[in-house]
Amino acid sequence: MSNQCQLAFPIQQQQPNLSAGPFPESVVVPVNVPLQIKRNVITDDYTLTRQVLGMGINGRVLEIFNKESGEKFAVKMLQDCPESRREVELHWRVSLCPHIVPIIDVYENLYQSKKCLLIIMECMDGGELFSHIQDRGYNAFTEREASDIMKSIGEAIHFCHSINIAHRDIKPENLLYTSKRQDAVLKLTDFGFAKEITTINSLETPCFTPYYVAPEVLGPEKYDKSCDMWSLGVIMYILLCGYPPFFSNHGLAISPGMKRRIRNGQFKFPDPEWADVSEEAKQLICHLLETEPTQRMSITKFKNHPWINLSVEIPQTPLHTSRVLHEEQDVWEQVKDEMTNALQTMRVDYHQIQIKTIEASTNPLLLKRRKKTKNSAMQHPG
Ligand code: I85
């Protein structure tokens, strides 16, 4: 893998004034070389094992070893179909982000006379994010560490969003550590639901004024990035207390009551877990769990938030998280299922969001026009 080619966003002149202009940031995102899918049999280069590392919805992940170096890797086995090709392509494009599990190689092989795609990845030996925290001693996990973790996940999302890829499945099972050591790096995986947001839909482009494009062209795609921001809010909430902001009362995967609470943004910061958590942290969660997707915080704003960019001192307040995760171990599987279901609902619902009525529109031209009409009505009453 080569990392020579660097593309600067924005392509235009960098803007030193952070508050001005349509590009509030200047981001440098390394651009990966095109992916070359290998066609020789994987067993030429790797020894496969029976050790299953995980089961995704569309394929399982096994432990494998490179024959030449002896190094351990993970392989995700997928059936060759357009969806799997898209997963591979989008995952490859973000593979140079330090907080995304990198693809090392991809093979196209026949397995039991079916075409398969085999994605070789770095092996994440540390396991899942919350297992890590649960294994920590009680009270050993602090608000400052939570901020560090959120910063890492934010980096991964920022990398994706800045090249118009929405992950759409950010959840605890997809956040893995490189090792069990202190210096382990947290990385995001599974691009099975990732989606490329085509340029016309990402209206951050200041090149044209899109007042007259057909609404269906602009419609649903705009919400895909905000789905990732909602996930970020849920993960941050769990990090700070050990339980999720929304949960069902009956142990059903997703109950009508839970759906209603998610839709209305009904969540609390109960004591004792939240008593000593900083106001900055709580305020950030509220911006991420904003129910209206258009109002939800963007990844750029997230990165600039004082609790993330460390412009304020993050207190080393011990959190209740390790203890709660430990005590509530038996409901953790259910918590994960609930998040999976909520994400699924969100991916579907955000496609069906109604285009705003003319009365609800906040289009600046329309606002100006309304003001003008109102003024003229006041000047010529009756
Ligand atoms: N290493 N979602 C849950 C895993 N290294 N895992 C999942 N989709 C993927 C599994 C089911 C994520 O794309 C998944 C994907 C990729 C991986 C993956 C990639 C690289 C790993 C589905 C481990 C691992 C390795 C050694 C030890 C341990 C875990 O999962 C542990 F610490 F847990 F024992």
Side-chain angles (χ1 to χ4, degrees):
M1 264 199 305
S2 131
N3 161 2
Q4 302 308 309
C5 169
Q6 299 250 315
L7 180 62
F9 285 87
I11 298 163
Q12 297 168 337
Q13 282 273 297
Q14 292 197 353
Q15 300 196 352
N17 181 354
L18 285 180
S19 61
F23 289 124
E25 73 208 300
S26 65
V27 193
V28 177
V29 172
V31 172
N32 214 340
V33 296
L35 171 68
Q36 285 258 304
I37 298 182
K38 296 192 167 163
R39 296 192 169 223
N40 61 309
V41 284
I42 187 171
T43 48
D44 287 348
D45 309 322
Y46 294 90
T47 309
L48 276 71
T49 74
R50 288 169 196 274
Q51 182 66 46
V52 178
L53 299 175
M55 296 292 287
I57 47 153
N58 44 5
R60 60 186 165 171
V61 183
L62 298 179
E63 185 179 89
I64 59 166
F65 291 89
N66 184 284
K67 283 188 169 168
E68 209 174 273
S69 66
E71 217 184 322
K72 184 160 85 175
F73 291 95
V75 64
K76 186 174 184 179
M77 311 174 84
L78 298 170
Q79 263 197 42
D80 191 357
C81 58
E83 293 75 32
S84 302
R85 294 251 160 194
R86 191 201 51 203
E87 170 173 351
V88 166
E89 173 57 30
L90 297 183
H91 191 170
W92 176 253
R93 281 191 222 164
V94 295
S95 270
L96 294 177
C97 174
H99 292 287
I100 292 175
V101 178
I103 294 185
I104 309 297
D105 260 322
V106 180
Y107 289 79
E108 181 194 305
N109 280 180
L110 275 180
Y111 181 70
Q112 295 175 343
S113 67
K114 276 207 178 101
K115 257 199 190 178
C116 288
L117 287 176
L118 304 158
I119 314 175
I120 320 275
M121 291 173 267
E122 174 188 3
C123 186
M124 303 298 286
D125 259 332
E128 294 178 13
L129 166 65
F130 286 101
S131 315
H132 236 241
I133 297 166
Q134 202 205 94
D135 295 344
R136 301 280 306 268
Y138 287 179
N139 300 328
F141 184 65
T142 68
E143 189 173 323
R144 202 180 287 177
E145 284 175 275
S147 160
D148 265 3
I149 291 170
M150 288 306 293
K151 203 181 159 115
S152 300
I153 309 171
E155 296 284 337
I157 298 179
H158 183 247
F159 197 103
C160 296
H161 288 192
S162 58
I163 56 169
N164 284 317
I165 292 170
H167 184 281
R168 307 199 308 159
D169 202 27
I170 296 170
K171 57 184 184 181
E173 306 95 289
N174 289 336
L175 292 162
L176 307 172
Y177 274 106
T178 48
S179 73
K180 293 205 187 284
R181 294 198 310 265
Q182 259 305 313
D183 62 351
V185 181
L186 185 65
K187 301 191 186 192
L188 174 65
T189 194
D190 203 340
F191 283 74
F193 287 111
K195 188 168 164 187
E196 182 170 21
I197 293 133
T198 47
T199 16
I200 194 160
N201 293 327
S202 54
L203 294 180
E204 286 93 58
T205 43
C207 314
F208 61 98
T209 322
Y211 292 124
Y212 38 76
V213 280
E216 61 272 23
V217 179
L218 309 175
E221 262 66 10
K222 282 187 77 180
Y223 303 104
D224 289 316
K225 286 180 181 175
S226 62
C227 172
D228 291 343
M229 300 314 291
W230 181 83
S231 294
L232 209 48
V234 173
I235 289 164
M236 178 166 169
Y237 188 102
I238 305 174
L239 270 177
L240 290 171
C241 66
Y243 51 81
F246 312 101
F247 40 88
S248 56
N249 295 329
H250 322 289
L252 297 167
I254 195 164
S255 64
M258 179 172 155
K259 245 185 201 179
R260 192 191 60 239
R261 287 190 293 278
I262 294 179
R263 289 228 166 86
N264 299 337
Q266 290 170 345
F267 63 91
K268 294 187 179 119
F269 297 116
D271 287 342
E273 293 83 11
W274 290 90
D276 303 321
V277 175
S278 73
E279 285 308 312
E280 276 91 2
K282 290 178 187 168
Q283 179 226 3
L284 180 52
I285 289 173
C286 292
H287 286 305
L288 293 169
L289 295 180
E290 163 66 56
T291 43
E292 170 61 35
T294 55
Q295 302 297 305
R296 203 169 296 149
M297 186 178 253
S298 70
I299 193 62
T300 313
K301 288 229 174 82
F302 175 82
K303 278 191 69 164
N304 289 329
H305 190 277
W307 197 79
I308 295 296
N309 77 6
L310 305 181
S311 59
V312 292
E313 174 107 355
I314 312 295
Q316 276 181 296
T317 316
L319 298 169
H320 295 247
T321 315
S322 297
R323 177 184 55 79
V324 173
L325 285 172
H326 214 269
E327 286 171 3
E328 305 287 330
Q329 258 183 81
D330 48 334
V331 292
W332 182 244
E333 286 308 311
Q334 195 191 314
V335 166
K336 292 205 277 190
D337 288 350
E338 285 179 344
M339 183 136 186
T340 299
N341 276 303
L343 280 164
Q344 175 60 32
T345 307
M346 205 171 268
R347 286 190 294 265
V348 175
D349 279 10
Y350 281 8
H351 263 270
Q352 295 165 352
I353 285 180
Q354 285 293 309
I355 293 147
K356 274 187 188 170
T357 61
I358 197 89
E359 291 80 18
S361 172
T362 49
N363 174 322
L365 273 186
L366 214 87
L367 291 179
K368 204 166 148 189
R369 182 86 220 135
R370 277 197 200 126
K371 207 164 146 192
K372 213 166 154 186
T373 317
K374 207 167 123 200
N375 285 345
S376 82
M378 288 202 304
Q379 277 164 17
H380 313 283

